Amino acid sequence: MNKFQSELKKKFSEIKPLLVSQGQLAVAELKPYLQPFEEALAIDELKALVGQDLNIDFEFPYASFELNDVSHLEKKLAYWQRVGIQELIPTDQVLRELTQNGKEETFNKSSLHKARRLRYGVHNLHEYRGKFFPQLVKSLINKSNLDKNAKVLDPMCGSGTTLVEAQEAGFDSIGADLNPLSILISNTKCRLIHVEMKELQDLTTEVRERLESGCFPKIELWSDADLKYLSSWFDDLAFEDVEKIITVIYSFEGIIKDFLLVCLSNIIRAVSYQKESDLRVRKEIKSYDKGYAISLFFEQLQDQLDRVIAYKMVSEVPQHESLIFPCNSIELPIHAKEHVGTVDLIITSPPYATALPYLDTDRLSLVVLGLLVRKEHKVYEANMIGTREVTEKQRRDLWDIYLARQSELPESINNVIEHVAKYNHSEGVGFRRRNLPALLGKYFLSMLEAMKSARKMMKPHGKAFYIVGNNSTSLNGEKFEINTPELLFDLAEFAGWRKVTMSSMELLSSRDMFRANRGTSEIILELENQ
């Protein structure tokens, strides 16, 4: 425990003798703002870690149990704010959440926070649609009660929350994603915590000095076609400023360069013509003041540094690392051959059925950062699970593939697809609705292969948690729910998994800029490898 951890633990500890006639009991104190599904997860994670039933009093709210040493609970618990025998000590998780607004708030607070915090440390690094709540991932890791040499996998890793939490919990982890921006964000989150404090503390000054020196030649990052594309999405002065920033960024190397690229990506919407609140890339012409992108970039950089530095002050440097593969989850066993059959736990959130334009959402960042040339976007999009962009010929081909393979899918899925096709294959239906039956067929067939590939990565009896959201469509003017969680639960069985439980969870409010595009509920599917 470092001196900052020790100082905060002392500050928020409380002497409270809790004795019963048979002797002393250890006590854990719930966070005060949990929703019902979180309370259920809290009980599950604590029971798994102490290996016994709990005496629970929700009035206070406490759980008590017989245990002589609670130090491992201090380090691991996600949904409990303090734990102890006579002295209630804040959990490491609470200390990390306290750093959300930087060092000053962390050390000047006189009480534990009373509201949910999801954006502490690296978890605030980049906006990402439908990102995990880190506490959810941590509690599922705890609930799984893994051996110390276990390995965690997220085959659709998105912004890397599972990988970060696995590292922090003391486990090696593997991730995969086809979106190059997801790979960049995930790698940056997993590696940034390993950077020396001094290097982070001096970074803003060093970037500013390099920018003001102006001694770097322009980089040849964009083709003529990409430059033409970008010129239509930026004011000339805005792009000039962005070009200055990215030239300086490319003068750095390794994780620092990646971190700066992520900071730049996170302001691209604000300094371009892309409509900020829109999930799709729609144009909104805005006036631009010279220097605004530079000012906003340094704001973003300092904000992220404040959080990460404060987080490092109360955290130990993880001894475990993450491997992230740039591939479709279906192809992961090919790209990660040496890890096939070695995974103990999967925690992942698959894409919604045609609900989100995953790659398209990030297309300006992908081009500006030099991660993916514009002409390659359609190729990548076509290979992503959950895509909704197809030509008329592709639609017909996909429908033929679905008809040829529908016997591989559960009856529940075929019934939904055929019901949608009954209405959407009618005359006069718009192209998006006409595409939906074929895209649903493609989605569920792809998820079947993805779930089979995930099983190949697992040890016998390994566990998996799939967090899945509902979505809906309109049929003949009426709303039709596509119950994706139930359908994927059935599909998992066809892929060889054993169905364990389905647990409902409410979507919590957050500053997710894409929250309006999400469903109204999510379900945790628990599976076991047979």
Side-chain angles (χ1 to χ4, degrees), residues 100-128:
Q100 178 161 300
N101 296 322
K103 175 185 173 184
E104 294 309 312
E105 189 204 38
T106 302
F107 292 98
N108 292 334
K109 280 184 69 67
S110 60
S111 63
L112 295 172
H113 53 278
K114 295 179 174 61
R116 183 173 287 98
R117 295 190 170 198
L118 308 172
R119 292 175 174 265
Y120 53 90
V122 295
H123 291 305
N124 187 61
L125 201 52
H126 197 287
E127 285 292 348
Y128 201 87

PDB file of all heavy atoms in Angstrom, residues 100-128:
ATOM      1  N   GLN A 100     -12.024  10.432  -9.794  1.00  0.00           N
ATOM      2  CA  GLN A 100     -12.671  10.776 -11.066  1.00  0.00           C
ATOM      3  C   GLN A 100     -12.444  12.227 -11.476  1.00  0.00           C
ATOM      4  O   GLN A 100     -12.286  12.514 -12.665  1.00  0.00           O
ATOM      5  CB  GLN A 100     -14.169  10.490 -10.996  1.00  0.00           C
ATOM      6  CG  GLN A 100     -14.922  10.875 -12.271  1.00  0.00           C
ATOM      7  CD  GLN A 100     -16.255  10.201 -12.398  1.00  0.00           C
ATOM      8  OE1 GLN A 100     -16.338   8.983 -12.437  1.00  0.00           O
ATOM      9  NE2 GLN A 100     -17.314  10.975 -12.436  1.00  0.00           N
ATOM     10  N   ASN A 101     -12.433  13.145 -10.527  1.00  0.00           N
ATOM     11  CA  ASN A 101     -12.258  14.556 -10.866  1.00  0.00           C
ATOM     12  C   ASN A 101     -10.859  15.068 -10.554  1.00  0.00           C
ATOM     13  O   ASN A 101     -10.645  16.275 -10.433  1.00  0.00           O
ATOM     14  CB  ASN A 101     -13.307  15.397 -10.136  1.00  0.00           C
ATOM     15  CG  ASN A 101     -14.704  15.055 -10.595  1.00  0.00           C
ATOM     16  OD1 ASN A 101     -14.939  14.807 -11.775  1.00  0.00           O
ATOM     17  ND2 ASN A 101     -15.643  14.998  -9.666  1.00  0.00           N
ATOM     18  N   GLY A 102      -9.910  14.141 -10.436  1.00  0.00           N
ATOM     19  CA  GLY A 102      -8.517  14.538 -10.266  1.00  0.00           C
ATOM     20  C   GLY A 102      -8.064  14.577  -8.822  1.00  0.00           C
ATOM     21  O   GLY A 102      -8.830  14.381  -7.878  1.00  0.00           O
ATOM     22  N   LYS A 103      -6.802  14.865  -8.641  1.00  0.00           N
ATOM     23  CA  LYS A 103      -6.142  14.797  -7.340  1.00  0.00           C
ATOM     24  C   LYS A 103      -6.773  15.723  -6.313  1.00  0.00           C
ATOM     25  O   LYS A 103      -6.972  15.344  -5.153  1.00  0.00           O
ATOM     26  CB  LYS A 103      -4.660  15.134  -7.506  1.00  0.00           C
ATOM     27  CG  LYS A 103      -3.888  15.201  -6.194  1.00  0.00           C
ATOM     28  CD  LYS A 103      -2.467  15.659  -6.424  1.00  0.00           C
ATOM     29  CE  LYS A 103      -1.745  15.900  -5.104  1.00  0.00           C
ATOM     30  NZ  LYS A 103      -0.389  16.427  -5.305  1.00  0.00           N
ATOM     31  N   GLU A 104      -7.076  16.950  -6.705  1.00  0.00           N
ATOM     32  CA  GLU A 104      -7.528  17.934  -5.717  1.00  0.00           C
ATOM     33  C   GLU A 104      -8.812  17.485  -5.030  1.00  0.00           C
ATOM     34  O   GLU A 104      -8.932  17.550  -3.819  1.00  0.00           O
ATOM     35  CB  GLU A 104      -7.734  19.300  -6.389  1.00  0.00           C
ATOM     36  CG  GLU A 104      -6.446  19.923  -6.902  1.00  0.00           C
ATOM     37  CD  GLU A 104      -5.354  19.955  -5.840  1.00  0.00           C
ATOM     38  OE1 GLU A 104      -5.645  20.377  -4.702  1.00  0.00           O
ATOM     39  OE2 GLU A 104      -4.220  19.550  -6.142  1.00  0.00           O
ATOM     40  N   GLU A 105      -9.779  17.014  -5.810  1.00  0.00           N
ATOM     41  CA  GLU A 105     -11.017  16.560  -5.189  1.00  0.00           C
ATOM     42  C   GLU A 105     -10.756  15.325  -4.337  1.00  0.00           C
ATOM     43  O   GLU A 105     -11.276  15.193  -3.236  1.00  0.00           O
ATOM     44  CB  GLU A 105     -12.083  16.232  -6.233  1.00  0.00           C
ATOM     45  CG  GLU A 105     -13.433  15.976  -5.571  1.00  0.00           C
ATOM     46  CD  GLU A 105     -14.370  15.102  -6.398  1.00  0.00           C
ATOM     47  OE1 GLU A 105     -13.906  14.160  -7.040  1.00  0.00           O
ATOM     48  OE2 GLU A 105     -15.561  15.381  -6.351  1.00  0.00           O
ATOM     49  N   THR A 106      -9.913  14.439  -4.839  1.00  0.00           N
ATOM     50  CA  THR A 106      -9.643  13.186  -4.138  1.00  0.00           C
ATOM     51  C   THR A 106      -9.172  13.440  -2.711  1.00  0.00           C
ATOM     52  O   THR A 106      -9.634  12.818  -1.760  1.00  0.00           O
ATOM     53  CB  THR A 106      -8.561  12.383  -4.895  1.00  0.00           C
ATOM     54  OG1 THR A 106      -9.014  12.137  -6.216  1.00  0.00           O
ATOM     55  CG2 THR A 106      -8.284  11.063  -4.202  1.00  0.00           C
ATOM     56  N   PHE A 107      -8.239  14.370  -2.554  1.00  0.00           N
ATOM     57  CA  PHE A 107      -7.615  14.552  -1.247  1.00  0.00           C
ATOM     58  C   PHE A 107      -8.288  15.633  -0.397  1.00  0.00           C
ATOM     59  O   PHE A 107      -7.958  15.786   0.769  1.00  0.00           O
ATOM     60  CB  PHE A 107      -6.126  14.839  -1.427  1.00  0.00           C
ATOM     61  CG  PHE A 107      -5.380  13.651  -1.949  1.00  0.00           C
ATOM     62  CD1 PHE A 107      -5.092  13.532  -3.293  1.00  0.00           C
ATOM     63  CD2 PHE A 107      -5.019  12.617  -1.105  1.00  0.00           C
ATOM     64  CE1 PHE A 107      -4.430  12.413  -3.787  1.00  0.00           C
ATOM     65  CE2 PHE A 107      -4.360  11.494  -1.595  1.00  0.00           C
ATOM     66  CZ  PHE A 107      -4.059  11.391  -2.929  1.00  0.00           C
ATOM     67  N   ASN A 108      -9.224  16.369  -0.986  1.00  0.00           N
ATOM     68  CA  ASN A 108      -9.910  17.400  -0.213  1.00  0.00           C
ATOM     69  C   ASN A 108     -11.300  16.988   0.247  1.00  0.00           C
ATOM     70  O   ASN A 108     -11.934  17.692   1.015  1.00  0.00           O
ATOM     71  CB  ASN A 108     -10.020  18.694  -1.031  1.00  0.00           C
ATOM     72  CG  ASN A 108      -8.656  19.342  -1.239  1.00  0.00           C
ATOM     73  OD1 ASN A 108      -7.754  19.134  -0.443  1.00  0.00           O
ATOM     74  ND2 ASN A 108      -8.511  20.092  -2.314  1.00  0.00           N
ATOM     75  N   LYS A 109     -11.803  15.844  -0.258  1.00  0.00           N
ATOM     76  CA  LYS A 109     -13.134  15.395   0.146  1.00  0.00           C
ATOM     77  C   LYS A 109     -13.152  15.005   1.622  1.00  0.00           C
ATOM     78  O   LYS A 109     -12.181  14.488   2.145  1.00  0.00           O
ATOM     79  CB  LYS A 109     -13.591  14.199  -0.696  1.00  0.00           C
ATOM     80  CG  LYS A 109     -14.117  14.572  -2.063  1.00  0.00           C
ATOM     81  CD  LYS A 109     -14.637  13.360  -2.803  1.00  0.00           C
ATOM     82  CE  LYS A 109     -15.897  12.807  -2.184  1.00  0.00           C
ATOM     83  NZ  LYS A 109     -17.045  13.697  -2.306  1.00  0.00           N
ATOM     84  N   SER A 110     -14.274  15.280   2.265  1.00  0.00           N
ATOM     85  CA  SER A 110     -14.405  14.934   3.682  1.00  0.00           C
ATOM     86  C   SER A 110     -15.327  13.737   3.901  1.00  0.00           C
ATOM     87  O   SER A 110     -15.513  13.295   5.018  1.00  0.00           O
ATOM     88  CB  SER A 110     -14.944  16.140   4.464  1.00  0.00           C
ATOM     89  OG  SER A 110     -16.213  16.523   3.954  1.00  0.00           O
ATOM     90  N   SER A 111     -15.914  13.222   2.814  1.00  0.00           N
ATOM     91  CA  SER A 111     -16.789  12.062   2.938  1.00  0.00           C
ATOM     92  C   SER A 111     -16.740  11.242   1.655  1.00  0.00           C
ATOM     93  O   SER A 111     -16.326  11.742   0.610  1.00  0.00           O
ATOM     94  CB  SER A 111     -18.229  12.498   3.225  1.00  0.00           C
ATOM     95  OG  SER A 111     -18.733  13.247   2.130  1.00  0.00           O
ATOM     96  N   LEU A 112     -17.168   9.999   1.748  1.00  0.00           N
ATOM     97  CA  LEU A 112     -17.230   9.150   0.560  1.00  0.00           C
ATOM     98  C   LEU A 112     -18.298   9.676  -0.388  1.00  0.00           C
ATOM     99  O   LEU A 112     -19.285  10.279   0.036  1.00  0.00           O
ATOM    100  CB  LEU A 112     -17.551   7.712   0.969  1.00  0.00           C
ATOM    101  CG  LEU A 112     -16.484   7.015   1.812  1.00  0.00           C
ATOM    102  CD1 LEU A 112     -16.992   5.678   2.305  1.00  0.00           C
ATOM    103  CD2 LEU A 112     -15.204   6.824   1.007  1.00  0.00           C
ATOM    104  N   HIS A 113     -18.098   9.458  -1.667  1.00  0.00           N
ATOM    105  CA  HIS A 113     -19.058   9.961  -2.643  1.00  0.00           C
ATOM    106  C   HIS A 113     -20.384   9.216  -2.527  1.00  0.00           C
ATOM    107  O   HIS A 113     -20.422   8.048  -2.140  1.00  0.00           O
ATOM    108  CB  HIS A 113     -18.506   9.858  -4.064  1.00  0.00           C
ATOM    109  CG  HIS A 113     -18.007   8.514  -4.457  1.00  0.00           C
ATOM    110  ND1 HIS A 113     -16.763   8.039  -4.138  1.00  0.00           N
ATOM    111  CD2 HIS A 113     -18.601   7.508  -5.149  1.00  0.00           C
ATOM    112  CE1 HIS A 113     -16.598   6.825  -4.609  1.00  0.00           C
ATOM    113  NE2 HIS A 113     -17.705   6.477  -5.235  1.00  0.00           N
ATOM    114  N   LYS A 114     -21.444   9.907  -2.880  1.00  0.00           N
ATOM    115  CA  LYS A 114     -22.795   9.349  -2.707  1.00  0.00           C
ATOM    116  C   LYS A 114     -23.512   9.120  -4.033  1.00  0.00           C
ATOM    117  O   LYS A 114     -24.723   8.952  -4.073  1.00  0.00           O
ATOM    118  CB  LYS A 114     -23.622  10.289  -1.822  1.00  0.00           C
ATOM    119  CG  LYS A 114     -23.094  10.385  -0.391  1.00  0.00           C
ATOM    120  CD  LYS A 114     -23.938  11.340   0.436  1.00  0.00           C
ATOM    121  CE  LYS A 114     -23.495  11.313   1.897  1.00  0.00           C
ATOM    122  NZ  LYS A 114     -22.089  11.744   2.065  1.00  0.00           N
ATOM    123  N   ALA A 115     -22.772   9.156  -5.128  1.00  0.00           N
ATOM    124  CA  ALA A 115     -23.354   8.916  -6.445  1.00  0.00           C
ATOM    125  C   ALA A 115     -22.408   8.028  -7.245  1.00  0.00           C
ATOM    126  O   ALA A 115     -21.203   7.984  -6.984  1.00  0.00           O
ATOM    127  CB  ALA A 115     -23.599  10.234  -7.171  1.00  0.00           C
ATOM    128  N   ARG A 116     -22.957   7.362  -8.219  1.00  0.00           N
ATOM    129  CA  ARG A 116     -22.202   6.416  -9.050  1.00  0.00           C
ATOM    130  C   ARG A 116     -21.117   7.141  -9.845  1.00  0.00           C
ATOM    131  O   ARG A 116     -21.350   8.204 -10.406  1.00  0.00           O
ATOM    132  CB  ARG A 116     -23.178   5.721  -9.992  1.00  0.00           C
ATOM    133  CG  ARG A 116     -22.601   4.655 -10.869  1.00  0.00           C
ATOM    134  CD  ARG A 116     -23.702   3.945 -11.623  1.00  0.00           C
ATOM    135  NE  ARG A 116     -24.443   3.069 -10.714  1.00  0.00           N
ATOM    136  CZ  ARG A 116     -25.589   3.390 -10.147  1.00  0.00           C
ATOM    137  NH1 ARG A 116     -26.132   4.562 -10.368  1.00  0.00           N
ATOM    138  NH2 ARG A 116     -26.198   2.547  -9.336  1.00  0.00           N
ATOM    139  N   ARG A 117     -19.941   6.543  -9.921  1.00  0.00           N
ATOM    140  CA  ARG A 117     -18.847   7.107 -10.706  1.00  0.00           C
ATOM    141  C   ARG A 117     -18.327   6.039 -11.669  1.00  0.00           C
ATOM    142  O   ARG A 117     -17.947   4.946 -11.245  1.00  0.00           O
ATOM    143  CB  ARG A 117     -17.723   7.604  -9.800  1.00  0.00           C
ATOM    144  CG  ARG A 117     -18.157   8.773  -8.926  1.00  0.00           C
ATOM    145  CD  ARG A 117     -17.005   9.410  -8.219  1.00  0.00           C
ATOM    146  NE  ARG A 117     -17.427  10.652  -7.581  1.00  0.00           N
ATOM    147  CZ  ARG A 117     -16.589  11.601  -7.192  1.00  0.00           C
ATOM    148  NH1 ARG A 117     -15.290  11.458  -7.385  1.00  0.00           N
ATOM    149  NH2 ARG A 117     -17.032  12.703  -6.617  1.00  0.00           N
ATOM    150  N   LEU A 118     -18.319   6.376 -12.950  1.00  0.00           N
ATOM    151  CA  LEU A 118     -17.969   5.403 -13.988  1.00  0.00           C
ATOM    152  C   LEU A 118     -16.760   5.825 -14.805  1.00  0.00           C
ATOM    153  O   LEU A 118     -16.285   5.061 -15.636  1.00  0.00           O
ATOM    154  CB  LEU A 118     -19.168   5.211 -14.936  1.00  0.00           C
ATOM    155  CG  LEU A 118     -20.516   4.874 -14.292  1.00  0.00           C
ATOM    156  CD1 LEU A 118     -21.627   4.907 -15.327  1.00  0.00           C
ATOM    157  CD2 LEU A 118     -20.459   3.521 -13.607  1.00  0.00           C
ATOM    158  N   ARG A 119     -16.249   7.049 -14.587  1.00  0.00           N
ATOM    159  CA  ARG A 119     -15.247   7.612 -15.490  1.00  0.00           C
ATOM    160  C   ARG A 119     -13.934   7.955 -14.790  1.00  0.00           C
ATOM    161  O   ARG A 119     -13.283   8.943 -15.105  1.00  0.00           O
ATOM    162  CB  ARG A 119     -15.832   8.855 -16.170  1.00  0.00           C
ATOM    163  CG  ARG A 119     -16.959   8.516 -17.136  1.00  0.00           C
ATOM    164  CD  ARG A 119     -17.611   9.761 -17.709  1.00  0.00           C
ATOM    165  NE  ARG A 119     -18.582   9.406 -18.736  1.00  0.00           N
ATOM    166  CZ  ARG A 119     -18.307   9.372 -20.031  1.00  0.00           C
ATOM    167  NH1 ARG A 119     -17.107   9.678 -20.450  1.00  0.00           N
ATOM    168  NH2 ARG A 119     -19.236   9.041 -20.902  1.00  0.00           N
ATOM    169  N   TYR A 120     -13.553   7.141 -13.847  1.00  0.00           N
ATOM    170  CA  TYR A 120     -12.296   7.352 -13.140  1.00  0.00           C
ATOM    171  C   TYR A 120     -11.151   6.711 -13.925  1.00  0.00           C
ATOM    172  O   TYR A 120     -11.345   5.813 -14.754  1.00  0.00           O
ATOM    173  CB  TYR A 120     -12.391   6.751 -11.734  1.00  0.00           C
ATOM    174  CG  TYR A 120     -12.824   5.307 -11.729  1.00  0.00           C
ATOM    175  CD1 TYR A 120     -11.894   4.284 -11.798  1.00  0.00           C
ATOM    176  CD2 TYR A 120     -14.179   4.966 -11.695  1.00  0.00           C
ATOM    177  CE1 TYR A 120     -12.295   2.953 -11.822  1.00  0.00           C
ATOM    178  CE2 TYR A 120     -14.590   3.638 -11.715  1.00  0.00           C
ATOM    179  CZ  TYR A 120     -13.634   2.640 -11.777  1.00  0.00           C
ATOM    180  OH  TYR A 120     -14.029   1.328 -11.816  1.00  0.00           O
ATOM    181  N   GLY A 121      -9.923   7.171 -13.663  1.00  0.00           N
ATOM    182  CA  GLY A 121      -8.747   6.592 -14.311  1.00  0.00           C
ATOM    183  C   GLY A 121      -8.842   6.635 -15.823  1.00  0.00           C
ATOM    184  O   GLY A 121      -9.230   7.645 -16.410  1.00  0.00           O
ATOM    185  N   VAL A 122      -8.510   5.510 -16.461  1.00  0.00           N
ATOM    186  CA  VAL A 122      -8.527   5.457 -17.926  1.00  0.00           C
ATOM    187  C   VAL A 122      -9.928   5.231 -18.482  1.00  0.00           C
ATOM    188  O   VAL A 122     -10.122   5.268 -19.706  1.00  0.00           O
ATOM    189  CB  VAL A 122      -7.584   4.349 -18.451  1.00  0.00           C
ATOM    190  CG1 VAL A 122      -6.141   4.668 -18.105  1.00  0.00           C
ATOM    191  CG2 VAL A 122      -7.988   2.976 -17.920  1.00  0.00           C
ATOM    192  N   HIS A 123     -10.917   5.004 -17.622  1.00  0.00           N
ATOM    193  CA  HIS A 123     -12.263   4.696 -18.113  1.00  0.00           C
ATOM    194  C   HIS A 123     -12.966   5.913 -18.729  1.00  0.00           C
ATOM    195  O   HIS A 123     -14.048   5.775 -19.294  1.00  0.00           O
ATOM    196  CB  HIS A 123     -13.116   4.105 -16.993  1.00  0.00           C
ATOM    197  CG  HIS A 123     -12.688   2.738 -16.577  1.00  0.00           C
ATOM    198  ND1 HIS A 123     -12.577   1.688 -17.459  1.00  0.00           N
ATOM    199  CD2 HIS A 123     -12.306   2.244 -15.371  1.00  0.00           C
ATOM    200  CE1 HIS A 123     -12.157   0.612 -16.814  1.00  0.00           C
ATOM    201  NE2 HIS A 123     -11.991   0.916 -15.550  1.00  0.00           N
ATOM    202  N   ASN A 124     -12.361   7.082 -18.628  1.00  0.00           N
ATOM    203  CA  ASN A 124     -12.927   8.280 -19.251  1.00  0.00           C
ATOM    204  C   ASN A 124     -12.225   8.635 -20.555  1.00  0.00           C
ATOM    205  O   ASN A 124     -12.540   9.638 -21.186  1.00  0.00           O
ATOM    206  CB  ASN A 124     -12.806   9.474 -18.287  1.00  0.00           C
ATOM    207  CG  ASN A 124     -13.512  10.712 -18.796  1.00  0.00           C
ATOM    208  OD1 ASN A 124     -14.713  10.716 -19.000  1.00  0.00           O
ATOM    209  ND2 ASN A 124     -12.755  11.782 -19.028  1.00  0.00           N
ATOM    210  N   LEU A 125     -11.303   7.804 -20.983  1.00  0.00           N
ATOM    211  CA  LEU A 125     -10.341   8.205 -22.008  1.00  0.00           C
ATOM    212  C   LEU A 125     -10.952   8.577 -23.351  1.00  0.00           C
ATOM    213  O   LEU A 125     -10.435   9.431 -24.046  1.00  0.00           O
ATOM    214  CB  LEU A 125      -9.309   7.091 -22.193  1.00  0.00           C
ATOM    215  CG  LEU A 125      -7.978   7.491 -22.818  1.00  0.00           C
ATOM    216  CD1 LEU A 125      -7.345   8.660 -22.102  1.00  0.00           C
ATOM    217  CD2 LEU A 125      -7.021   6.292 -22.795  1.00  0.00           C
ATOM    218  N   HIS A 126     -12.041   7.954 -23.743  1.00  0.00           N
ATOM    219  CA  HIS A 126     -12.635   8.256 -25.049  1.00  0.00           C
ATOM    220  C   HIS A 126     -14.114   7.915 -25.017  1.00  0.00           C
ATOM    221  O   HIS A 126     -14.507   6.895 -24.447  1.00  0.00           O
ATOM    222  CB  HIS A 126     -11.944   7.425 -26.139  1.00  0.00           C
ATOM    223  CG  HIS A 126     -12.160   7.916 -27.538  1.00  0.00           C
ATOM    224  ND1 HIS A 126     -13.372   7.780 -28.206  1.00  0.00           N
ATOM    225  CD2 HIS A 126     -11.334   8.550 -28.412  1.00  0.00           C
ATOM    226  CE1 HIS A 126     -13.258   8.292 -29.423  1.00  0.00           C
ATOM    227  NE2 HIS A 126     -12.039   8.766 -29.574  1.00  0.00           N
ATOM    228  N   GLU A 127     -14.946   8.770 -25.600  1.00  0.00           N
ATOM    229  CA  GLU A 127     -16.365   8.431 -25.736  1.00  0.00           C
ATOM    230  C   GLU A 127     -16.488   7.156 -26.575  1.00  0.00           C
ATOM    231  O   GLU A 127     -15.788   6.987 -27.569  1.00  0.00           O
ATOM    232  CB  GLU A 127     -17.127   9.560 -26.423  1.00  0.00           C
ATOM    233  CG  GLU A 127     -17.376  10.773 -25.540  1.00  0.00           C
ATOM    234  CD  GLU A 127     -18.346  10.500 -24.405  1.00  0.00           C
ATOM    235  OE1 GLU A 127     -19.006   9.439 -24.424  1.00  0.00           O
ATOM    236  OE2 GLU A 127     -18.425  11.328 -23.490  1.00  0.00           O
ATOM    237  N   TYR A 128     -17.379   6.279 -26.146  1.00  0.00           N
ATOM    238  CA  TYR A 128     -17.574   5.036 -26.894  1.00  0.00           C
ATOM    239  C   TYR A 128     -18.986   4.551 -26.663  1.00  0.00           C
ATOM    240  O   TYR A 128     -19.432   4.453 -25.521  1.00  0.00           O
ATOM    241  CB  TYR A 128     -16.569   3.966 -26.422  1.00  0.00           C
ATOM    242  CG  TYR A 128     -16.359   2.865 -27.433  1.00  0.00           C
ATOM    243  CD1 TYR A 128     -15.403   2.998 -28.434  1.00  0.00           C
ATOM    244  CD2 TYR A 128     -17.123   1.710 -27.408  1.00  0.00           C
ATOM    245  CE1 TYR A 128     -15.206   2.001 -29.379  1.00  0.00           C
ATOM    246  CE2 TYR A 128     -16.938   0.706 -28.335  1.00  0.00           C
ATOM    247  CZ  TYR A 128     -15.980   0.858 -29.325  1.00  0.00           C
ATOM    248  OH  TYR A 128     -15.798  -0.127 -30.260  1.00  0.00           O
TER     249      TYR A 128
END
